[in-house]
Amino acid sequence: MFTVTVHTTGAGELVVRLPQQRVTAEAGTEDKGPSPIAPELKELAWGAGSFIVLFVLMRVVLFPRVKNGMQARYGKIRDDHESADAMRAAARGEVAAYEQELAGVRAEAAQRIQAVRDIIEAERAIAIGVANERISASRADANAVNEAAKAAAAPHIKEAVADVSGRAAELATGRKPDAAMVNSVVTSLIGAGQ
Amino acid sequence: MEAMSYIIAAVPGVPSNDAALKTANAAIGAGFAYGLAAIGPGIGIGYVVGKAIEAMARQPEAAGMVRTTMFLGIAFTEALALIGFVVFILLGL
Amino acid sequence: MLGLTFPPINELIRWRDIFTSFNKVGLIAVLAALIGIAIFLIAGRKDPLKAPTGVRNLAETGVEFIEDQIVMQTMGKDGLPWTPFLLSLFIFIYLCNLPGIIPIFQMPATARMAIPLFLALVVWVVYNAVGLKHNGFKYITAMAWPTSVPIGMRPLVGVIELLSNIVLRPFSLAVRLFANMLAGHMLLITFAFLSNAMFTAHTKQFFLRPMGVLPLFMLVFLTAFEVLVGFLQAYIFTILTAVFINSARHIEH
């Protein structure tokens, strides 16, 4: 059926055996094959039978079973989702409660720390006051000693300065100056210097 | 068309009786039948698909609906070409 | 010049009877029904509460495809009881189309007029019965005298509607499926034949024989195309059935 009927007759020339000859040759044989368009009863019967069996089984048994299975699974998935949501909500509630508790504990701790800090603050203030008093007392004592020493040293300084300046004036002028005047000048100068 | 069948009949080796001429005419007629039947649906399907793509590009969220309608339109348009194909077979018998 | 003897179409679809009145087309139809039943039987046996795998996944994908892509798109929620009918239609047509590209079979059962004709008649009976059941006699009067068009147009539109519902719809449904599959089958045969003829040509033109791979490539491409066509035709047949049933239920539009 699928052979090409080409012959060469030398010198590259081709002789083609034509389809018509083959068709006329085959026209004598009895089996030409069915009409390409008209439906055949046997095929119709087999096809119809198969389809009806498939449809009836699908309608009665096969489809409901698969569909029920699918719906059961979807239902289960939905339930699982819902229970997961519920669980998540419960967990969120627990976390919130825990955080509230934690905040309470934290506030209490802060309160206690504040109280302790206040006490320490007060004690420190007292201690500082005591220390300050002690420091000021000792400073006053030292000042008093200092003042006393200064007061004790002042006549000696005045006398020495008067002596030195009297001597210096005597050497410069050749005459001994009046002691009372030198004393009064030195006293006024020291008083101005102080 | 008839001229072509005469040309075919003039080819050496072809039996040039009336039956052969009729067969040749039928074959040519069948070829033309299908060729002509394919023009309209070809243009029509082109329009349908082109417009459907335009619609899908404008509204991608409506693509599913557009695709379904497009297939329906193609199916109805294509029926004409297929009737031409059946005629082609009938003529070739 | 290369002479090709393309066999007549009758010979391309001639199959010997396996036994009395049971040929390849019948075998494919029976196998299609058996495979469909087997898939759903195995799927129904598995534990439905676990995640679906394998055969069960296949069956559930089919069910969801029919529900989401066909029923919900054309009929809405109240069309869901029609799922088993549409599902068996889809499975049967798809499994009858598929042997067109499966080696050994190499013949879609729907490329013969018998099965498409039968299915179209079933669909015709179903949608007319649905229309009569839902709307009573008003189904026919509303078709013959449509009130939604201007009064001058009504006789014309009525005749067209009646013709379309009673003759054209089942005819185009059957012819669409049959002609698509037969055309695909012939296309594959043409390129297989051409490739074979070029490989085995008795010719001195040396380049002719290797060029036989070109139709072979085309054959591979067209086989892939036929996979798509087989699916698409099953889908279109099913969705048109859904559309017809829906339009028979709601005659107002």
Side-chain angles (χ1 to χ4, degrees):
Chain A
M1 190 159 75
F2 290 131
T3 49
V4 186
T5 51
V6 180
H7 297 284
T8 55
T9 53
E13 204 175 311
L14 297 170
V15 167
V16 182
R17 193 140 68 91
L18 283 145
Q20 275 81 358
Q21 292 165 337
R22 283 172 60 83
V23 169
T24 47
E26 277 183 6
T29 58
E30 77 282 16
D31 189 13
K32 262 186 74 180
S35 156
I37 283 184
E40 266 187 297
L41 199 62
K42 54 183 180 184
E43 290 170 359
L44 195 71
W46 282 107
S50 318
F51 177 71
I52 287 167
V53 167
L54 174 68
F55 170 59
V56 168
L57 276 177
M58 188 70 87
R59 186 71 198 252
V60 176
V61 192
L62 302 172
F63 180 74
R65 201 188 279 171
V66 170
K67 185 71 194 163
N68 289 341
M70 283 166 75
Q71 270 166 353
R73 193 174 72 244
Y74 291 159
K76 183 170 165 280
I77 288 171
R78 198 159 51 243
D79 288 352
D80 285 357
H81 266 291
E82 273 164 16
S83 68
D85 281 345
M87 211 180 276
R88 198 181 293 145
R92 284 225 176 100
E94 270 173 30
V95 167
Y98 168 75
E99 271 174 359
Q100 218 170 1
E101 210 172 298
L102 198 68
V105 169
R106 257 188 204 145
E108 203 191 322
Q111 232 170 1
R112 277 188 195 168
I113 289 169
Q114 195 56 48
V116 171
R117 200 174 276 160
D118 286 351
I119 291 167
I120 291 171
E121 199 66 36
E123 277 177 4
R124 199 174 66 172
I126 291 166
I128 286 172
V130 170
N132 277 350
E133 264 173 41
R134 206 187 297 144
I135 289 167
S136 57
S138 55
R139 189 180 284 159
D141 286 356
N143 273 353
V145 170
N146 208 7
E147 284 304 315
K150 226 187 244 174
H156 293 289
I157 293 170
K158 230 183 248 175
E159 198 176 321
V161 168
D163 197 22
V164 167
S165 40
R167 178 71 72 168
E170 194 184 337
L171 286 176
T173 55
R175 278 191 305 147
K176 198 173 165 97
D178 184 28
M181 212 185 83
V182 169
N183 268 353
S184 73
V185 168
V186 165
T187 307
S188 73
L189 281 174
I190 287 173
Q194 269 178 351
Chain B
M1 257 181 253
E2 216 175 332
M4 277 177 80
S5 62
Y6 282 120
I7 293 169
I8 288 167
V11 173
V14 175
S16 59
N17 51 24
D18 279 356
L21 212 61
K22 206 175 168 188
T23 314
N25 268 326
I28 291 166
F32 271 95
Y34 183 60
L36 290 174
I39 294 174
I43 296 170
I45 290 173
Y47 259 97
V48 170
V49 177
K51 289 286 178 192
I53 288 171
E54 210 171 272
M56 282 187 223
R58 279 191 190 185
Q59 268 180 304
E61 67 274 8
M65 199 196 70
V66 172
R67 196 176 299 117
T68 309
T69 320
M70 180 189 82
F71 279 127
L72 283 178
I74 289 176
F76 286 126
T77 318
E78 193 191 34
L80 296 170
L82 295 169
I83 290 167
F85 177 72
V86 172
V87 170
F88 161 75
I89 296 171
L90 281 175
L91 283 176
L93 282 177
Chain C
M1 183 184 166
L2 191 68
L4 282 175
T5 326
F6 195 82
I9 299 167
N10 306 29
E11 287 181 27
L12 299 180
I13 48 171
R14 177 184 59 194
W15 304 107
R16 231 178 293 117
D17 282 3
I18 298 169
F19 54 84
T20 317
S21 80
F22 183 70
N23 61 4
K24 199 170 181 177
V25 175
L27 175 70
I28 290 168
V30 170
L31 275 182
L34 285 182
I35 290 170
I37 290 167
I39 286 173
F40 274 76
L41 259 185
I42 296 169
R45 286 256 173 84
K46 287 193 177 180
D47 177 20
L49 294 183
K50 285 181 189 160
T53 52
V55 177
R56 178 159 188 111
N57 201 2
L58 192 69
E60 289 195 1
T61 308
V63 172
E64 283 187 342
F65 173 72
I66 299 290
E67 281 185 349
D68 296 345
Q69 301 294 316
I70 293 178
V71 177
M72 293 306 284
Q73 300 270 345
T74 54
M75 299 164 90
K77 223 171 175 60
D78 53 344
L80 282 178
W82 286 100
T83 310
F85 177 62
L86 297 174
L87 183 64
S88 22
L89 259 184
F90 180 80
I91 289 175
F92 189 66
I93 297 172
Y94 185 54
L95 290 179
C96 279
N97 288 347
L98 214 53
I101 48 156
I102 295 176
I104 306 168
F105 287 110
Q106 302 282 30
M107 169 80 189
T110 41
R112 301 285 293 126
M113 195 56 179
I115 289 170
L117 184 72
F118 168 71
L119 294 177
L121 284 179
V122 168
V123 170
W124 182 76
V125 169
V126 164
Y127 79 76
N128 281 321
V130 166
L132 286 174
K133 192 184 153 205
H134 269 255
N135 308 304
F137 196 65
K138 206 167 153 267
Y139 175 60
I140 296 171
T141 51
M143 220 150 56
W145 195 251
T147 46
S148 56
V149 295
I151 195 152
M153 297 283 285
R154 280 181 202 172
L156 187 67
V157 175
V159 167
I160 292 173
E161 276 285 300
L162 270 179
L163 259 179
S164 149
N165 269 302
I166 292 168
V167 184
L168 286 181
R169 278 179 174 185
F171 174 74
S172 73
L173 207 56
V175 165
R176 179 176 303 117
L177 180 57
F178 155 72
N180 257 302
M181 295 324 290
L182 181 60
H185 184 56
M186 282 175 61
L187 211 57
L188 292 186
I189 286 176
T190 306
F191 281 93
F193 175 74
L194 201 62
S195 179
N196 179 61
M198 285 172 87
F199 279 137
T200 56
H202 298 285
T203 171
K204 283 185 176 170
Q205 284 158 339
F206 62 92
F207 58 87
L208 200 60
R209 288 175 142 213
M211 264 168 64
V213 294
L214 295 179
L216 200 62
F217 281 143
M218 194 67 190
L219 181 64
V220 172
F221 168 74
L222 282 174
T223 305
F225 181 67
E226 282 303 304
V227 178
L228 180 72
V229 168
F231 177 81
L232 210 60
Q233 288 310 313
Y235 171 67
I236 284 175
F237 196 100
T238 318
I239 203 166
L240 282 177
T241 305
V243 167
F244 292 164
I245 291 172
N246 194 47
S247 74
R249 286 197 311 178
H250 310 290
I251 49 171
E252 290 80 30
H253 328 297

